[in-house]
Amino acid sequence: MYLSEELIPRRWYNILPDLPKPLPPPINPQTGEPISPQDLSILFPKEILEQELSLNTFIDIPDEVIEIYRLWRPTPLIRAKRFEKLLKTPAKIFFKYEGISPTGSHKVNTSVPQAFYNIREGVERLTTETGAGQWGSALAFATKIYGVRLTVYMVKVSYYQKPYRKTLMKLWGAEVIPSPSERTSFGKRILEEDPNNPGSLGIAISEAIEDAVTHEDTKYSLGSVLNHVILHQTVIGLEAIKQMELLDQTPDYVIGCVGGGSNFAGLAFPFYRLKKKGLLPSLKIIAAESTASPSLTYGDYRYDYGDTAGMTPKLKMHTLGHKHVPAPIHAGGLRYHGAAPTVSLLREEGFIEARAYNQLEVFKVAKLFAETEGIVPAPETAHAIKAAYDIALDAKRHGEEKTILFNFSGHGLLDLQAYEEYIEDKLQPYEYNSG
Ligand SMILES: Cc1ncc(COP(=O)(O)O)c(C=O)c1O
């Protein structure tokens, strides 16, 4: 189901005023007090900070951003009929296909407005971190469009294992540095302790922040977790609501995989709004995580740092602890130690269910999906497909005609090494040891 360009949403949906409780504020670790917008202005431009704290339900999308969204939005909503047939399930399975974007994932939905707001405020350079390179390539694309320079700290193990997203970033003009690096004092400290440190998202975030705060013309950009990032991703759910309406379908389940939570929330939050209004009373919202970093399934709900060095404000979220070292699974985007504060709050209040899967069971289902629907899912996305698969089989056992909608956050055509290892039987499952 394709929508015409005129139906690209004109406003993003902001969940903050609709949360069941006020969102606990980020805390300044030095003072123990809630953080002020002033404290954060060294990292983010003014308009982004306003969005981070806004209590308006809808926020206008600038025309300049819609013009770029037009390159891939609206994204299609597809019924996975051949996958359903394989499972012999009475359930209907729909997916919102974000893999159609220029970089192959949902991440450009936020990289474009973030680059736009920065250039509008005269910022000359951005820094960021990336794991497998989905976020880094999305921001490289956006900064190229608006003419901002970009430095990406890429988790070292991925820098060498996933060379092609690095190539994409360079193609769009970004400087890509394997992290931990000699560029920052934090990186140097880590390398002194262990010259072979493979890096992590938490370390790369610390380096990107240090680089931004020590250069005046530079700000920092984050690809998940924060409210403004999730706000930008709600174009996914807003479009999906229209598409499901046009197909005369009502979802019983809305599913997304969760790293920091942005694609999950981007699809689920606009549906949560309808549920809150009493329009979708039986809707279940499911977060699919990796057993390597199951923050919503096993993490505590408490204040924690967003990075390893403890440079960020503390956020109230489900977390495995900012020192958590995740197993080297292929779904690099799901290795984060925490989850977005908004997603965590909804989980804590019982509005969201979380399920964690290991990568062996996930790749098994991803292969079935690729065989039937022809699209190779990103390893991250495969977690959402696994959740949909389990629910569809459950519906079969109970003879129920459930309607399932999941977010297809990205394609896996640059993750073929992972599929190679799966086919060659070389993957480890990596279960989380909660005890
Ligand atoms: C394809 C894909 N899906 C999901 C994620 C997880 O991130 P988030 O939870 O912010 O959507 C990533 C992160 O890199 C990704 O690349």
Side-chain angles (χ1 to χ4, degrees):
M1 145 71 54
Y2 283 86
L3 289 175
S4 69
E5 264 181 35
E6 296 81 73
L7 293 177
I8 295 174
R10 299 272 144 182
R11 300 180 304 171
W12 292 299
Y13 167 61
N14 174 22
I15 198 170
L16 292 195
D18 286 342
L19 286 171
K21 281 182 175 173
L23 194 67
I27 296 286
N28 182 334
Q30 267 92 48
T31 62
E33 296 292 321
I35 205 102
S36 71
Q38 234 74 47
D39 296 333
L40 290 175
S41 61
I42 189 161
L43 289 179
F44 300 112
K46 203 169 105 270
E47 276 175 285
I48 287 196
L49 281 177
E50 276 168 19
Q51 292 182 353
E52 187 62 25
L53 304 169
S54 169
L55 289 176
N56 297 332
T57 306
F58 289 99
I59 292 176
D60 286 343
I61 307 178
D63 288 345
E64 295 89 335
V65 169
I66 291 181
E67 187 198 325
I68 309 301
Y69 275 176
R70 278 210 181 93
L71 294 175
W72 72 96
R73 305 215 71 85
T75 58
L77 187 132
I78 300 170
R79 181 164 173 192
K81 276 201 180 156
R82 288 175 46 81
F83 188 54
E84 288 170 13
K85 203 164 155 199
L86 176 83
L87 307 187
K88 298 193 177 69
T89 175
K92 285 174 272 183
I93 306 176
F94 294 88
F95 63 96
K96 181 74 169 148
Y97 187 38
E98 293 295 306
I100 204 167
S101 84
T103 57
S105 85
H106 65 294
K107 296 279 176 182
V108 275
N109 297 328
T110 183
S111 67
V112 169
Q114 287 196 44
F116 171 73
Y117 290 121
N118 273 288
I119 194 75
R120 200 149 82 167
E121 247 170 66
V123 176
E124 288 172 19
R125 187 172 72 106
L126 285 174
T127 65
T128 197
E129 67 291 329
T130 197
Q134 287 272 23
W135 167 242
S137 53
L139 193 60
F141 166 74
T143 47
K144 180 67 178 173
I145 283 190
Y146 293 115
V148 193
R149 286 185 293 127
L150 174 65
T151 303
V152 182
Y153 290 86
M154 183 170 189
V155 176
K156 193 178 275 171
V157 56
S158 304
Y159 183 91
Y160 294 110
Q161 263 177 13
K162 312 245 174 189
Y164 295 119
R165 286 214 181 84
K166 179 180 67 194
T167 310
L168 268 184
M169 288 183 251
K170 288 183 171 168
L171 186 70
W172 282 312
E175 175 190 31
V176 190
I177 297 169
S179 162
S181 76
E182 297 283 345
R183 267 293 179 93
T184 63
S185 48
F186 182 65
K188 279 186 200 148
R189 213 165 76 212
I190 297 269
L191 288 174
E192 267 162 31
E193 282 164 20
D194 174 11
N196 297 319
N197 187 306
S200 72
L201 264 185
I203 294 173
I205 296 176
S206 303
E207 289 207 271
I209 291 182
E210 185 184 324
D211 183 340
V213 299
T214 49
H215 293 90
E216 213 167 284
D217 59 351
T218 303
K219 292 213 187 290
Y220 167 70
S221 170
L222 188 67
S224 190
V225 179
L226 296 181
N227 303 338
H228 67 272
V229 180
I230 286 174
L231 173 83
H232 302 154
Q233 292 294 354
T234 58
V235 284
I236 304 172
L238 294 166
E239 283 176 12
I241 286 172
K242 277 187 213 154
Q243 287 163 314
M244 291 297 273
E245 267 169 21
L246 289 169
L247 292 167
D248 210 10
Q249 299 292 332
T250 309
D252 297 298
Y253 294 90
V254 167
I255 303 168
C257 65
V258 173
S262 74
N263 88 88
F264 163 78
L267 177 68
F269 283 5
F271 283 97
Y272 162 85
R273 176 166 180 263
L274 299 187
K275 185 177 164 83
K276 188 154 185 273
K277 282 176 146 184
L279 295 173
L280 292 172
S282 63
L283 176 71
K284 289 198 166 66
I285 303 178
I286 315 272
E289 313 191 280
S290 163
T291 49
S293 282
S295 52
L296 292 172
T297 312
Y298 292 113
D300 300 324
Y301 184 54
R302 64 177 170 85
Y303 272 102
D304 193 12
Y305 293 105
D307 67 328
T308 304
M311 294 173 75
T312 68
K314 285 185 160 181
L315 302 171
K316 181 99 183 250
M317 61 181 177
H318 282 90
T319 174
L320 300 166
H322 65 284
K323 302 266 189 233
H324 169 71
V325 181
I329 53 159
H330 282 280
L334 303 193
R335 295 174 76 234
Y336 189 59
H337 65 268
T342 46
V343 172
S344 295
L345 177 83
L346 289 179
R347 163 88 175 102
E348 196 60 15
E349 296 295 314
F351 288 91
I352 289 173
E353 236 182 81
R355 302 180 181 187
Y357 304 107
N358 76 52
Q359 65 174 358
L360 272 186
E361 52 190 354
V362 157
F363 272 94
K364 178 175 154 229
V365 174
K367 183 163 177 285
L368 296 177
F369 191 86
E371 284 166 357
T372 48
E373 297 296 322
I375 308 175
V376 179
E380 292 86 355
T381 308
H383 291 70
I385 307 180
K386 166 67 177 155
Y389 170 92
D390 281 359
I391 291 165
L393 289 184
D394 210 42
K396 176 164 125 181
R397 272 190 292 278
H398 295 98
E400 290 170 339
E401 284 185 26
K402 295 292 184 192
T403 301
I404 302 166
L405 169 63
F406 72 85
N407 198 2
F408 196 110
S409 56
H411 71 64
L413 288 178
L414 292 177
D415 300 283
L416 294 182
Q417 178 64 32
Y419 281 89
E420 179 72 24
E421 288 175 29
Y422 174 69
I423 294 163
E424 296 292 325
D425 219 6
K426 288 185 184 152
L427 285 189
Q428 303 286 325
Y430 295 121
E431 296 289 351
Y432 181 72
N433 182 356
S434 60

